[in-house]
Amino acid sequence: MFRSRTPPDAIDMISKILVYNPDKRPRPLEILMHPFFDEIRDKNTRLPNGNALPELFDFTKEEISTYS
């Protein structure tokens, strides 16, 4: 179902999410740690207009406890 240009990291991540048994699926924070998202965790990554990315992983303790 994926195009030939689909990055292998994207296919790997989706294959881990689309597991029938929910107990065997990664938790949300585990998915965010997947290599597919390495680029948006890189402090040198910029938006197309040259601006820095907004803080995407500044979770509160409550948010983290909900997903762990």
Side-chain angles (χ1 to χ4, degrees), residues 30-45:
E30 292 173 323
I31 290 296
L32 291 175
M33 293 185 308
H34 191 277
F36 178 76
F37 294 111
D38 284 352
E39 184 178 13
I40 62 173
R41 287 192 297 270
D42 183 346
K43 296 290 183 188
N44 296 316
T45 299

Side-chain angles (χ1 to χ4, degrees), residues 1-6 11 14 18:
M1 300 307 309
F2 294 101
R3 297 176 189 243
S4 61
R5 300 183 311 264
T6 303
I11 295 171
I14 294 298
L18 297 178

